[in-house]
Amino acid sequence: MIEIRPLAEDWSVLLERASACAPYLRRLISRDLDALELGSMGDLEDAYDPWIRRWTGALAALETTDTAMPTLRAFKREGHLLIALQDLAGCASGQMLTTRLSAMADLAVETALRLAAQKTALATNGLTILALGKHGAQELNYSSDIDLVAIYDPHRFDGGDRDPSDAASRIIRDLITMFENVTGDGYVFRTDFRLRPDPSSTPLAVSTEMAELYYESVGQNWERMVYIKARPCAGDIAVGDAFLATLEPFVWRRHLDYWAISDVHAIKRMINAKVGDPDLGNVAADLKLGPGGIREIEFFAQTQQVILGGRDSTLRDPTTCGALVRLADAGVIDWPVSRALTEAYWILRGVEHRVQMLNDAQTHSLPRSDDERDKVAQLCGYASRAALEADLVDLRQTVHAHYQDLFSEEARQTARAIEGNLVFTGVDIDPASIKTLERMGFSAPDRVIATVQSWHRGGVPATRSDRGRQLLTAVLPGLLDTMSNSGEPDAAFANFATFFEGLSAGVQLLSMLVAEDAFADDLVATLALAPRLARTLSRKPACLEALIDGGEVERFTLPQGTDFETAMDKARRYHKEASLLVGHKLLHGRLTAREAGAAWTGLADATVVEMAKAAERETERRFGPAPGVWQVVAMGKLGGEELTAGSDLDLMVLFDPKVSGGEAQTWFSRFTQRLISALSAPTAEGLLYEIDMRLRPSGGAGPVAVSLAAFERYQRDEAWTWEHMALTRIRPITGDFGLAKQIMERALSAIVSRAQNPAILADIADMHARLGRDKPAKGFWDFKRAPGGLVDIEFVVQAALLTSGDAGLVTGNTSAAIGRLSKAGIFAPRIAETLNAALVYQQALQQVVRLALGDIGPDHVFSAGLENRLYRAVGQGDFAALKTRLSQLRADVTEIFQQKIPIKTTEPPL
């Protein structure tokens, strides 16, 4: 076992060796030794008590901050030299030394607080300083900063002419200046006030009321652990004691549910690396944060205190080693473990102090240089650094073994182990966690940590409850691991953040993520690829249940008698869930693009059917029975059963009246308006579809509902060629079956009659040119309008249907139409094969892009993960091969287009 030995037994030898090994001590000996009035080793052992009494009187006599600046620095230097010499001479225990360092800090803080208040003509009544961390536990290390929180009672603290918060914060700023400004006399203590409630948005001093509200509402388990060690060290001690008493129910909970315990376990897992971390053998190890270090011993004790201390008050000891004794007394841990960890704690603290004595640096790591490690070994009483290093490795392995044994069963149940630190607690950004996230592929790990810290502070609705924060802690390491494995960790995290921060509540989602490992992986992968889905899911998290089930969604039907408003809401809930399931399967390759198009079409059909029924019932309720029969027909992509994610619906409502006159027109127009509202009006449940009815006769200028006679007359006598092209995709959806049959007969008759028009190809060419002028392609990824894209294929197919004069060939589905035209000999096999290949290829890409991103700009750059999904969707080996194949298919389609529609026009080409 490692043993720290006295540096020397002779006074002059002690000074000589201390000066030779530690430049900081050499400076102190040269400057401040005489003030200590020490002439021998005998004087050293009992020197502290008279020294601190002398300085207590001297500091109490100070009257201004100006005189305090040099005086406090002299006090700190003398104290540092005295305590270092006592430590190196072995004439004081580790506990005694850290208690003395803490008492020095208390006296300095009390002095500075008093003088800062006097400077602004105020008193410290009602204002207290709480010491936290090692300072609070009276375990301060040699060159530590001090963790402080300033609290004021607004009913007792008088801010004078200022707001109490402003006045108290001004006092604290002056205290910080007195302590931290580096002058020719050095500095006093580095101070850290960031452990106060929500430090990013609160002043330096916070009221007791605000602090109590914060800890009651969004206090975290790591803050509970912080306050185990809290005590008032300066100012109005009674206010500090009273405040800490109010926090007892927060710190010491009598009843912990499963999730609170799981949260504490998760914090434990994130503090250090898994078993076998190579840092255990590092000769320049971090004695505090590294495996087998001081933090593991502290956490070993505090973890069990925070879980068990609410029910057993005997465990509430603020000191690390005191807690280890209490835990052994209570039978929570074995006495040999308690003794081993206590011994290791003080040895590690002793080595840590000697590292800090070299240069008064706030470091906890053994130096990297062999020469400096030689000096640390000498200060520890070792003949060689190799012997010290070997003993430290053995010691740290012992500590780490005990640490790993803590909650070993729970650790074995952990789904995955993350190699390296992942610490999101506290206010500091942990450097080791930065390295872990960088190794996992995150390009801006500091932003990831800052974002997660804000979530843990209740910065989003999903984490404003204890359970939400606890569940987040439990599930986060696995989520980050999945993001790393997605190949797009930055995109995955950004999209998850968009999703998570948009949730109105998070317990249900986080519970599902904890309970369903596969679902967590699936969700992260989905969000990594599809920011559009991230936004959708954040607005409708209940839809996530569909992903867990992963099955088919039953066809949408409404119970008879459902009122109109209820029908609208139910349709939207159904649509969100069903659409998400289709999109999710498409994104993960469980549906082909053609299957997804058919699924989205089926979803739209079912919705239109039920909403039409609801619109009919509502219209009949208000205006009486329908004066005839009606039919809703699909056009465009809906008619061709080729919908994509987010497609609008091209619809037309036709009716056949029983009576003449305007009564039927009025009733069916009202019915149509209600159908449009049922399908497109926003409700509390969101939106369904954008509805486009411009393909009806006379477009936007005509009535919204069209009689069969008017439809027939228009298509026969007035329709343009482009309208008959659109008519090839007509498909009845719901309504009167007999009327549907008549509509199709009239539509096919009009399409066949167009073949007699000698200008048909010229019309189509002009229409194509006009589209190119008015709606040009948005770049290479415009699958619809790019040369050789989907529009060109549709033009070629629809031109062939119109010129064939054969009603039996007409179908709205482009691929099916190509097959019929090929079978009829109108398309040669090579042409049919090329057109169909280009159609399927571009539809597959369009389906995935629309789902993942929605509309994109001309210069869009896909993430690597989405590139991978795209080239797999079309059976290519990589993204470059995809682009090459797409370019060739488009060139082939363009060549076919020019063959089939060769008419010269004055319009500019596409």
Side-chain angles (χ1 to χ4, degrees):
M1 173 64 74
I2 187 173
E3 180 183 358
I4 297 178
R5 308 173 185 89
L7 186 60
E9 296 180 358
D10 179 81
W11 176 246
S12 59
V13 175
L14 175 69
L15 296 178
E16 180 183 349
R17 290 179 179 174
S19 297
C21 292
Y24 175 62
L25 295 183
R26 182 166 61 248
R27 292 194 297 273
L28 294 183
I29 290 170
S30 172
R31 181 171 181 173
D32 299 290
L33 181 63
D34 291 345
L36 292 176
E37 299 179 351
L38 299 172
S40 70
M41 295 289 277
D43 295 333
L44 181 62
E45 185 168 355
D46 299 319
Y48 177 79
D49 286 343
W51 175 83
I52 196 69
R53 285 195 296 270
R54 171 168 61 85
W55 271 104
T56 299
L59 294 177
L62 291 174
E63 297 182 352
T64 68
T65 56
D66 289 340
T67 57
M69 293 282 281
T71 306
L72 284 169
R73 283 154 178 75
F75 164 65
K76 183 272 182 85
R77 290 195 312 272
E78 285 187 22
H80 251 203
L81 178 57
L82 174 59
I83 290 171
L85 292 175
Q86 289 181 326
D87 194 351
L88 295 172
C91 61
S93 68
Q95 185 168 359
M96 185 180 296
L97 293 167
T98 58
T99 300
R100 289 172 178 176
L101 287 165
S102 302
M104 281 179 57
D106 288 354
L107 181 55
V109 173
E110 178 62 50
T111 301
L113 181 66
R114 173 178 62 83
L115 294 175
Q118 288 179 6
K119 181 179 178 181
T120 54
L122 298 174
T124 59
N125 292 340
L127 174 63
T128 188
I129 303 289
L130 303 178
L132 305 179
K134 286 185 169 64
H135 183 197
Q138 296 183 303
E139 298 172 338
L140 203 62
N141 61 45
Y142 189 73
S143 293
S144 176
D145 61 357
I146 50 178
D147 294 310
L148 305 174
V149 171
I151 302 284
Y152 67 90
D153 183 340
H155 304 292
R156 297 184 59 182
F157 177 67
D158 182 4
D161 295 335
R162 297 181 180 275
D163 175 83
S165 174
D166 181 50
S169 296
R170 180 179 289 264
I171 291 171
I172 299 306
R173 280 194 292 272
D174 286 341
L175 179 152
I176 293 171
T177 298
M178 275 188 278
F179 271 28
E180 293 194 350
N181 278 16
V182 178
T183 71
D185 298 311
Y187 70 99
V188 188
F189 288 100
R190 291 173 288 264
T191 59
D192 191 341
F193 282 83
R194 292 174 300 162
L195 291 180
R196 68 185 185 275
D198 197 6
S200 62
S201 59
T202 55
L204 276 171
V206 296
S207 73
T208 52
E209 294 171 349
M210 179 270 167
E212 288 167 17
L213 178 62
Y214 170 85
Y215 291 118
E216 288 173 3
S217 58
V218 295
Q220 299 170 58
N221 280 320
W222 71 265
E223 289 170 310
R224 295 173 58 205
M225 296 168 75
V226 163
Y227 273 91
I228 289 175
K229 296 179 179 291
R231 64 180 176 85
C233 69
D236 194 328
I237 301 298
V239 167
D241 285 335
F243 172 72
L244 292 179
T246 67
L247 291 194
E248 278 198 11
F250 164 67
V251 178
W252 305 110
R253 296 178 182 172
R254 293 191 60 80
H255 304 288
L256 289 181
D257 64 12
Y258 168 78
W259 294 112
I261 296 173
S262 179
D263 185 23
V264 173
H265 292 175
I267 295 172
K268 167 189 169 288
R269 290 197 304 270
M270 291 192 296
I271 288 294
N272 282 102
K274 63 181 182 179
V275 179
D277 190 297
D279 193 47
L280 275 168
N282 184 4
V283 295
D286 188 325
L287 300 171
K288 177 181 178 181
L289 297 177
I294 295 165
R295 176 59 54 82
E296 287 194 350
I297 302 173
E298 294 172 334
F299 211 84
F300 182 97
Q302 284 183 291
T303 299
Q304 297 175 92
Q305 282 182 294
V306 81
I307 292 174
L308 303 172
R311 295 187 294 276
D312 185 350
S313 60
T314 65
L315 301 179
R316 302 177 190 179
D317 191 304
T319 67
T320 302
C321 296
L324 291 170
V325 170
R326 301 287 186 92
L327 289 166
D329 274 337
V332 177
I333 63 175
D334 294 333
W335 273 109
V337 174
S338 174
R339 286 190 287 268
L341 291 178
T342 298
E343 183 178 6
Y345 179 80
W346 289 118
I347 291 171
L348 289 168
R349 292 299 305 274
V351 179
E352 175 190 49
H353 284 179
R354 283 152 180 77
V355 170
Q356 293 173 347
M357 287 175 193
L358 297 180
N359 296 297
D360 189 28
Q362 189 185 358
T363 180
H364 311 280
S365 295
L366 287 163
R368 292 186 178 278
S369 104
D370 292 348
D371 180 60
E372 288 196 318
R373 286 203 309 283
D374 279 334
K375 292 175 179 177
V376 172
Q378 291 173 44
L379 290 173
C380 290
Y382 271 74
S384 72
R385 71 169 186 274
L388 173 65
E389 290 165 2
D391 283 354
L392 275 175
V393 167
D394 290 343
L395 179 72
R396 291 171 57 236
Q397 286 176 338
T398 299
V399 170
H400 194 58
H402 289 307
Y403 178 73
Q404 290 298 127
D405 285 343
L406 181 62
F407 304 121
S408 57
E409 178 61 28
E410 182 273 336
R412 283 193 292 271
Q413 293 174 357
T414 301
R416 63 190 90 193
I418 305 299
E419 185 172 350
N421 281 21
L422 278 179
V423 181
F424 303 104
T425 59
V427 293
D428 291 321
I429 291 182
D430 174 40
S433 297
I434 292 280
K435 293 178 181 177
T436 300
L437 290 169
E438 285 176 343
R439 194 164 56 246
M440 295 171 76
F442 293 91
S443 65
D446 53 336
R447 289 204 295 270
V448 172
I449 294 173
T451 298
V452 174
Q453 285 178 331
S454 75
W455 294 345
H456 275 296
R457 287 193 288 268
V460 295
T463 57
R464 286 179 188 155
S465 68
D466 277 345
R467 192 176 182 194
R469 293 189 295 277
Q470 291 159 357
L471 288 168
L472 175 65
T473 302
V475 79
L476 192 60
L479 288 177
L480 291 170
D481 188 42
T482 301
M483 292 174 191
S484 174
N485 293 334
S486 75
E488 288 293 324
D490 290 334
F493 183 81
N495 293 343
F496 180 82
T498 298
F499 160 70
F500 190 65
E501 292 170 2
L503 296 173
S504 58
V507 169
Q508 180 184 12
L509 164 71
L510 291 168
S511 297
M512 287 193 291
L513 292 174
V514 169
E516 301 282 347
D517 291 340
F519 169 61
D521 292 349
D522 214 30
L523 174 63
V524 169
T526 298
L527 298 178
L529 294 174
R532 182 174 177 271
L533 280 184
R535 294 188 293 271
T536 300
L537 286 171
S538 67
R539 293 191 292 268
K540 293 293 177 183
C543 295
L544 288 167
E545 293 180 3
L547 301 191
I548 295 179
D549 295 337
E552 300 298 328
V553 177
E554 294 183 2
R555 185 176 175 86
F556 177 52
T557 57
L558 288 171
Q560 189 68 27
T562 304
D563 68 83
F564 191 61
E565 299 296 330
T566 301
M568 291 173 66
D569 284 338
K570 286 188 173 182
R572 282 151 179 77
R573 286 194 292 271
Y574 163 80
H575 180 270
K576 291 291 184 187
E577 180 177 318
S579 183
L580 175 63
L581 184 57
V582 173
H584 182 261
K585 288 182 175 181
L586 171 66
L587 191 66
H588 292 282
R590 297 165 197 162
L591 286 179
T592 66
R594 184 159 296 178
E595 290 168 338
W600 268 310
T601 300
L603 170 60
D605 283 357
T607 308
V608 171
V609 167
E610 293 301 315
M611 290 296 93
K613 291 177 184 176
E616 181 181 45
R617 287 194 299 269
E618 179 68 6
T619 309
E620 288 181 334
R621 184 183 70 82
R622 299 185 62 181
F623 304 107
V629 293
W630 54 268
Q631 177 66 221
V632 180
V633 300
M635 307 288 285
K637 286 188 177 295
L638 178 59
E641 301 179 277
E642 298 170 349
L643 287 187
T644 62
S647 288
D648 59 6
L649 303 186
D650 291 302
L651 296 176
M652 190 186 307
V653 175
L654 300 173
F655 66 93
D656 189 12
K658 292 178 181 177
V659 297
S660 59
E663 178 185 346
Q665 182 66 62
T666 300
W667 195 97
F668 285 109
S669 292
R670 288 169 172 167
F671 161 74
T672 304
Q673 292 290 2
R674 278 159 181 76
L675 175 60
I676 294 171
S677 295
L679 291 171
S680 63
T683 75
E685 295 293 335
L687 298 169
L688 270 180
Y689 294 102
E690 294 290 333
I691 303 300
D692 190 342
M693 304 194 78
R694 291 174 297 174
L695 291 178
R696 68 186 187 272
S698 301
V704 291
V706 181
S707 70
L708 178 64
F711 172 78
E712 180 181 15
R713 183 170 56 253
Y714 183 86
Q715 297 297 344
R716 184 185 64 229
D717 301 333
E718 301 177 43
W720 294 72
T721 299
W722 70 265
E723 290 177 291
H724 281 171
M725 292 170 66
L727 198 61
T728 63
R729 310 195 81 172
I730 192 169
R731 181 174 62 85
I733 296 179
T734 184
D736 183 78
F737 178 78
L739 179 57
K741 185 177 180 181
Q742 293 181 68
I743 291 168
M744 290 306 296
E745 288 173 352
R746 277 123 175 111
L748 291 173
S749 176
I751 291 169
V752 169
S753 69
R754 181 62 61 170
Q756 301 170 15
N757 183 353
I760 188 169
L761 291 181
D763 288 349
I764 293 173
D766 285 342
M767 181 62 188
H768 186 271
R770 199 173 298 116
L771 277 176
R773 181 194 64 203
D774 297 340
K775 296 182 178 181
K778 296 179 181 178
F780 185 78
W781 301 114
D782 189 336
F783 304 105
K784 183 176 180 180
R785 296 192 180 94
L790 296 173
V791 166
D792 283 8
I793 298 170
E794 290 167 4
F795 266 63
V796 170
V797 171
Q798 289 165 7
L801 293 175
L802 291 185
T803 57
S804 71
D806 185 348
L809 300 180
V810 177
T811 175
N813 183 270
T814 308
S815 183
I818 292 172
R820 292 185 185 184
L821 290 164
S822 176
K823 189 174 181 179
I826 295 174
F827 282 166
R830 185 191 64 80
I831 289 177
E833 182 180 336
T834 299
L835 289 175
N836 200 58
L839 174 74
V840 171
Y841 203 89
Q842 294 186 89
Q843 282 181 336
L845 297 173
Q846 184 188 54
Q847 285 280 16
V848 175
V849 170
R850 288 274 180 88
L851 171 69
L853 305 172
D855 290 330
I856 59 175
D859 301 320
H860 187 84
V861 177
F862 299 112
S863 68
L866 189 52
E867 284 186 357
N868 178 279
R869 177 66 191 94
L870 287 169
Y871 68 69
R872 285 191 295 111
V874 289
Q876 298 291 170
D878 56 42
F879 198 62
L882 178 154
K883 294 173 71 175
T884 300
R885 176 63 173 159
L886 178 57
S887 297
Q888 183 59 56
L889 286 170
R890 285 177 171 173
D892 293 343
V893 169
T894 299
E895 181 181 351
I896 293 170
F897 183 94
Q898 292 169 351
Q899 292 172 6
K900 296 294 183 180
I901 310 176
I903 306 299
K904 303 291 185 182
T905 83
T906 56
E907 294 288 350
L910 181 65

